[in-house]
Amino acid sequence: MAPKQIVIITVTMTVFTWSGVMVAAGQTSAAAALAPALAVTVQQIVSAARTPGAPSTMAAAGDKEDDAP
C-alpha cells in the first residue's frame, strides 16, 4: 500500500471515529451538524486519491482566460 493511501485511510478513519465518539457521548446534534462537512471531506479525499496529477478545474478555467484577445 502506498504512503498516500495510508494517510487517506488514517484521516478518514479518524474523522469517522471522532464522529462516533461524539454520538456515543450524546452529542448527536453536533454530529448531525457536521455530517455535511464530513461528506465533503470524504468526497475530496476520494477525488484526490483517484486523480493523481490531474489539473484542477480552477487551473483549467484560468487557462481559458489567457486566450482572450
Side-chain angles (χ1 to χ4, degrees), residues 39-64:
V40 170
T41 300
V42 171
Q43 179 185 15
Q44 292 297 320
I45 290 171
V46 170
S47 175
R50 288 189 179 175
T51 57
S56 68
T57 56
M58 294 300 290
D63 293 342
K64 292 179 183 177

Side-chain angles (χ1 to χ4, degrees), residues 3-67:
K4 183 178 181 180
Q5 290 175 331
I6 293 171
V7 170
I8 290 170
I9 291 169
T10 303
V11 169
T12 305
M13 292 307 298
T14 301
V15 169
F16 283 118
T17 302
W18 183 250
S19 299
V21 168
M22 287 180 13
V23 169
Q27 299 295 325
T28 54
S29 61
L34 291 175
L38 295 174
V40 170
T41 300
V42 171
Q43 179 185 15
Q44 292 297 320
I45 290 171
V46 170
S47 175
R50 288 189 179 175
T51 57
S56 68
T57 56
M58 294 300 290
D63 293 342
K64 292 179 183 177
E65 292 179 12
D66 292 337
D67 293 336

